[in-house]
């Protein structure tokens, strides 16, 4: 292993990259824009819904329920009549109508009576769950009022994170890792492809540079920017977007560096299957997108089919996601066994990619 | 194999599937000469150069370079290579390209880089980004990258393709100066006129070395006035049934 050769390669890559202002801007600005949009959209306050209430029962329970429904902050209620329900929804005036039928009050007296009826638009995914949630809240208030009690207000104690944590605080750590993974893969794949197409790989092959030195040179060259990118994104998410986090940020960098090692080699490996830069980009929907779906970022892995669970545990982004959550949300350190296991899995992935990249380099040479 | 040759190959064969690119080839090149590999396109010139340098493993046969068996990674610091493609980083300057290869070869000093850039008459454009240069200037830069570490053996794969006659003459004069300094040059070409400038020639046809000698010897043996006629005569002879 010859350090001057590795540093020569890393220095060359860094010089080329530094000169490519557009790419440089892309790897810094694009994640910032995406994270800012995410922060805005995740914290979006849902707009109120136009809900019609038909009260056919004169009992105090029915009147009280109508009153609770009108008091819900998400509902903009208006009184309606049963014969106009469908017209009002089809005309776009209402998203849903709740009907309190004649005799509903008998149910509260322990007798049999008709149940509530709900008519929803159905063309929007949010309507039915939101109406049923609001209805459950209103009926619970009525029931509590009947027995002279109030709704329970449990005292919640957080072992990790806290009540101030929003959905973004759980997403942001994984996105920091994801952006590094994506850009390091993309830049290495295209960089190595160019190395082949412009003939410089042949000249490198004729030099004393070994395959291991080439892999390391590429890794160091691109990792400098991957870490710089991670630093900028991290500072941006912490200080500009204002996410909450715990744990040591140096461990976050370590996780990104190990993930980048795998991404560099994956880029070299996959680039040998691409003849053009466009083809290297086309690997993204095949290799990167499934990882974002299966890595447990949006949907919990235990809820998935066993085959997808098994697949998820083969993907580096899954372990990066676990590790980032452990460190940034739970505040765990390097001495924690789960963090060690996640970093170990990332190292294993990197080792497998180094083997594949070495094989690919031999294939590219002959 | 003898150590008196800068380069020696015995029984070299390279097959790519059903295609035999180099077919049972023997070769000896003395030190300090320019050895020309002359042949039409797809005659195996580039494959032979890659085999001789050790960047492509042979299917069969063996070769030595400067007395050492090929491949030898240490030996590569003493070899220079100018591939047929420009093999330059277009977004780097001439100086940065040359410096990079000097560092890879473990032979970097700013003075050496300056000297290599000067040798190919590119000092005035040393700081220019390669993508802004003309084809001829890029060829010069490519040659500087191959020369910067002062190699003992220089492999040039069609170095004068696509350059104007003035630069071609300049390049050949420069190769002669390198020979005088003791550098052995193996150069491939399909331009018959250039063959006259080589110390010795190997005529390649369909992966086989069909004739070898000085340009004068080859013309006389083929009873031809030009190298082109000589080449055609030897290739016809090689096609004839024994």
């Amino acid at each position: 292993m010859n350090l001057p050769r590795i540093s020569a390669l890393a220095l060359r890559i860094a010089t080329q990259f530094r000169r490519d202002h557009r790419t440089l801007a892309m790897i810094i600005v694009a994640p910032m824009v995406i994270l800012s949009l995410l922060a805005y959209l995740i914290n979006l306050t849902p707009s109120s819904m136009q809900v019609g209430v038909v009260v056919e029962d004169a009992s105090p329970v029915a009147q009280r329920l109508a009153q609770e429904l009108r008091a819900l902050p998400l509902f903009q209620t208006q009184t309606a009549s049963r014969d106009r329900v469908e017209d009002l929804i089809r005309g776009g005036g209402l998203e849903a109508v709740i009907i309190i039928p004649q005799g509903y009050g008998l149910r509260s007296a322990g007798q049999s009576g008709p149940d509530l009826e709900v008519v929803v638009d159905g063309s929007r995914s949010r309507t039915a769950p939101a109406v049923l949630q609001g209805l459950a809240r209103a009926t619970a208030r009525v029931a509590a009022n009947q027995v002279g009690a109030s709704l329970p207000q449990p005292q919640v104690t957080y072992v990790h994170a806290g009540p101030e944590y929003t959905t973004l605080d759980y997403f942001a750590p994984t996105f920091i890792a994801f952006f590094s993974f994506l850009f390091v893969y993309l830049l290495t794949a295209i960089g190595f492809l160019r190395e082949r197409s412009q003939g410089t790989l042949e000249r490198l092959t004729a030099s004393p540079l070994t395959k291991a030195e080439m892999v390391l040179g590429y890794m160091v060259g691109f990792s400098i920017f991957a870490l710089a990118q991670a630093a900028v994104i991290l500072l941006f998410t912490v200080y500009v977007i204002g996410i909450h986090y715990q744990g040591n940020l140096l461990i976050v960098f370590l996780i990104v560096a190990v993930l980048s090692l795998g991404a560099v080699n994956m880029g070299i490996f996959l680039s040998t299957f691409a003849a053009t830069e466009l083809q290297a980009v086309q690997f993204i929907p095949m290799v990167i997108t499934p990882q974002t779906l299966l890595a447990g970022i949006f949907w919990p892995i235990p809820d998935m089919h066993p085959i997808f669970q098994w697949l998820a545990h083969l993907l580096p982004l899954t372990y990066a996601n676990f590790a980032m959550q452990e460190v940034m949300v739970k505040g765990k350190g390097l001495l924690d066994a789960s963090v060690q296991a996640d970093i170990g899995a990332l190292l294993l992935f990197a080792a497998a990619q180094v083997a594949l990249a070495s094989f690919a380099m031999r294939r590219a040479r002959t | 194999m003898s150590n008196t040759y800068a380069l020696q190959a015995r029984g070299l064969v390279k097959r790519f599937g059903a295609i035999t690119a180099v077919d049972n080839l023997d070769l000896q090149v003395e030190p300090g000469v320019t050895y020309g590999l002359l042949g039409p396109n797809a005659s195996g010139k580039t494959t032979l150069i890659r085999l001789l340098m050790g960047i492509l493993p042979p299917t069969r046969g063996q070769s030595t370079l400067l007395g050492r068996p090929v491949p030898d990674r240490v030996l590569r610091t003493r070899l220079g290579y100018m591939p047929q493609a420009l093999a330059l980083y277009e977004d780097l300057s001439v100086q940065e390209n040359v410096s990079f290869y000097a560092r890879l070869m473990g032979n970097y000093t700013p003075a050496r880089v300056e000297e290599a850039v000067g040798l190919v008459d590119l000092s005035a454009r040393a700081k220019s980004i390669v993508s802004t240069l003309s084809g001829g200037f890029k060829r010069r830069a490519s040659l500087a990258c191959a020369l910067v570490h002062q190699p003992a053996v220089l492999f040039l794969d069609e170095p004068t393709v696509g350059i104007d006659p003035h630069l071609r003459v300049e390049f050949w004069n420069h190769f002669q100066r390198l020979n005088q300094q003791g550098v052995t040059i193996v150069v491939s070409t399909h331009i018959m006129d250039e063959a006259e400038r080589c110390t010795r020639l190997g005529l390649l046809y369909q992966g086989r070395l069909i004739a070898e000698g000085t340009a004068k010897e080859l013309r006389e043996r083929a009873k031809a006035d030009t190298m082109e006629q000589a080449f055609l005569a030897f290739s016809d002879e090689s096609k004839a049934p024994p």
Side-chain angles (χ1 to χ4, degrees):
Chain A
M1 199 70 75
N2 182 296
L3 279 178
R5 284 201 290 265
I6 295 170
S7 54
L9 187 56
L11 178 72
R12 191 213 85 205
I13 289 167
T15 310
Q16 286 179 290
F17 202 60
R18 193 166 41 85
R19 203 157 281 161
D20 188 354
H21 295 141
R22 247 175 279 181
T23 305
L24 213 53
M26 184 188 76
I27 69 159
I28 300 296
V29 176
M32 283 183 183
V33 170
I34 295 170
L35 278 166
S36 301
L37 273 174
L38 262 178
Y40 166 71
L41 294 170
I42 283 174
N43 295 322
L44 211 58
T45 312
S47 58
S48 57
M49 299 169 63
Q50 296 293 328
V51 179
V53 179
V54 179
V55 187
E56 296 177 334
D57 192 37
S59 69
V61 171
Q63 296 301 318
R64 175 79 191 185
L65 178 59
Q67 194 184 334
E68 289 293 349
L69 286 171
R70 287 185 194 108
L72 287 172
L74 187 63
F75 286 4
Q76 287 268 16
T77 53
Q78 49 181 280
T79 306
S81 60
R82 185 185 279 273
D83 55 331
R84 292 203 57 225
V85 166
E86 281 209 21
D87 288 343
L88 284 167
I89 290 176
R90 284 185 199 283
L94 294 175
E95 271 189 64
V97 174
I98 297 167
I99 303 170
I100 306 170
Q102 179 73 43
Y104 172 74
L106 294 172
R107 291 172 70 91
S108 62
Q111 298 169 36
S112 64
D115 209 340
L116 294 168
E117 293 170 43
V118 179
V119 184
V120 293
D121 181 319
S123 64
R124 282 181 243 183
S125 65
R126 73 158 190 171
T127 312
V131 168
L132 292 176
Q133 202 181 355
L135 196 53
R137 191 174 172 80
T139 49
R141 276 182 185 278
V142 172
N145 183 260
Q146 271 185 310
V147 293
S150 58
L151 281 182
Q153 299 283 330
Q155 192 183 338
V156 183
T157 305
Y158 291 82
V159 177
H160 299 116
E164 72 279 12
Y165 273 60
T166 64
T167 313
L168 182 69
D169 297 325
Y170 299 97
F171 277 139
T174 307
F175 273 97
I176 293 164
F178 168 72
F179 286 127
S180 297
F181 186 70
L182 174 67
F183 287 111
V184 171
Y185 158 72
L186 197 57
L187 296 172
T188 314
I190 291 175
F192 199 75
L193 189 72
R194 279 187 192 157
E195 200 90 77
R196 266 198 309 149
S197 60
Q198 67 198 3
T200 44
L201 180 65
E202 186 156 328
R203 222 198 279 254
L204 293 185
T205 313
S207 78
L209 191 74
T210 64
K211 280 181 290 219
E213 288 164 2
M214 193 187 283
V215 166
L216 273 173
Y218 258 82
M219 194 203 80
V220 174
F222 283 120
S223 294
I224 294 168
F225 292 95
L227 289 177
Q229 182 201 41
V232 174
I233 298 171
L234 201 57
L235 292 173
F236 180 77
T237 44
V238 169
Y239 294 107
V240 180
I241 295 181
I243 66 154
H244 304 94
Y245 77 97
Q246 300 180 24
N248 188 337
L249 292 184
L250 286 176
I251 305 173
V252 172
F253 283 119
L254 176 72
I255 296 165
V256 171
V258 177
L259 187 66
S260 301
L261 178 64
V264 164
N265 289 290
M266 192 175 87
I268 293 175
F269 172 60
L270 289 178
S271 75
T272 57
F273 296 97
T276 63
E277 292 177 14
L278 182 64
Q279 285 177 6
V281 173
Q282 282 167 354
F283 280 120
I284 291 176
M286 223 172 78
V287 180
I288 309 281
T289 312
Q291 296 209 39
T292 55
L293 299 177
L294 294 176
I297 304 170
F298 302 107
W299 297 280
I301 294 172
D303 292 357
M304 296 175 192
H305 186 277
I307 291 175
F308 288 118
Q309 286 190 37
W310 180 79
L311 255 176
H313 284 95
L314 287 179
L315 304 173
L317 208 55
T318 302
Y319 297 99
N321 178 31
F322 290 167
M324 294 296 261
Q325 297 291 334
E326 297 283 352
V327 175
M328 289 189 75
V329 178
K330 295 185 181 174
K332 290 183 178 176
L334 274 180
L335 293 176
D336 183 84
S338 54
V339 175
Q340 287 173 359
D342 293 335
I343 293 177
L346 288 176
L347 281 170
L348 261 179
F349 171 76
Q353 291 300 320
V354 168
L356 288 172
S358 299
F359 163 75
M361 260 189 253
R362 201 172 301 128
R363 187 174 167 269
R365 286 174 181 196
T366 53
Chain B
M1 281 192 263
S2 165
N3 280 343
T4 54
Y5 295 108
L7 187 160
Q8 206 174 5
R10 191 168 292 168
L12 273 188
V13 176
K14 182 65 187 179
R15 289 199 186 96
F16 297 102
I19 297 165
T20 303
V22 171
D23 191 3
N24 203 25
L25 193 140
D26 294 330
L27 191 72
Q28 287 93 29
V29 178
E30 286 171 2
V33 303
T34 294
Y35 189 95
L37 293 170
L38 187 66
N41 292 331
S43 59
K45 300 187 295 292
T46 300
T47 305
L48 179 58
I49 285 181
R50 288 175 179 168
L51 291 173
L52 294 173
M53 292 189 72
I55 59 178
L56 196 63
T59 308
R60 211 173 54 228
Q62 51 189 326
S63 59
T64 61
L65 257 175
L66 303 169
R68 296 170 72 114
V70 172
D72 184 331
R73 201 165 287 281
V74 178
L75 196 65
R76 290 188 180 164
T77 55
R78 300 182 64 197
L79 307 181
Y81 181 36
M82 182 178 172
Q84 203 171 330
L86 288 166
L88 294 168
Y89 299 100
E90 296 261 336
D91 45 358
L92 295 183
S93 69
V94 172
Q95 194 181 46
E96 285 165 340
N97 268 283
V98 178
S99 299
F100 169 62
Y101 287 111
R103 284 192 177 98
L104 272 194
M105 294 297 184
N107 211 348
Y108 171 78
T109 62
R112 189 153 285 163
V113 171
E114 203 177 316
E115 187 191 336
V117 172
L119 274 176
V120 295
D121 207 12
L122 267 183
S123 299
R125 304 297 301 269
K127 306 266 184 208
S128 299
I129 300 295
V130 168
S131 62
T132 65
L133 299 178
S134 68
F137 280 6
K138 285 179 183 174
R139 282 265 157 212
R140 288 173 199 248
S142 183
L143 182 60
C145 291
L147 291 174
V148 65
H149 58 294
Q150 298 179 325
V153 183
L154 187 58
F155 289 89
L156 307 166
D157 193 1
E158 309 229 11
T160 56
V161 165
I163 62 173
D164 63 63
H166 294 292
L167 186 57
R168 188 177 298 168
V169 170
E170 250 181 74
F171 266 31
W172 280 98
N173 290 342
H174 190 68
F175 300 157
Q176 270 175 350
R177 281 197 295 276
L178 287 170
N179 278 160
Q180 284 158 11
Q181 291 161 21
V183 178
T184 308
I185 298 175
V186 177
V187 57
S188 75
T189 181
H190 63 264
I191 303 167
M192 302 292 163
D193 291 350
E194 289 188 340
E196 301 285 349
R197 290 177 167 267
C198 297
T199 320
R200 281 184 78 77
L201 284 168
L203 306 193
L204 271 179
Y205 186 67
Q206 294 179 338
R208 284 177 296 125
L209 193 65
I210 55 172
E212 207 193 12
T214 64
K216 188 165 174 267
E217 283 168 3
L218 291 169
R219 277 198 313 274
E220 283 172 3
R221 268 164 52 196
K223 298 184 179 63
D225 295 330
T226 64
M227 267 318 295
E228 194 164 85
Q229 288 168 346
F231 185 87
L232 290 172
F234 282 115
S235 56
D236 287 345
E237 191 183 303
S238 78
K239 278 189 276 190

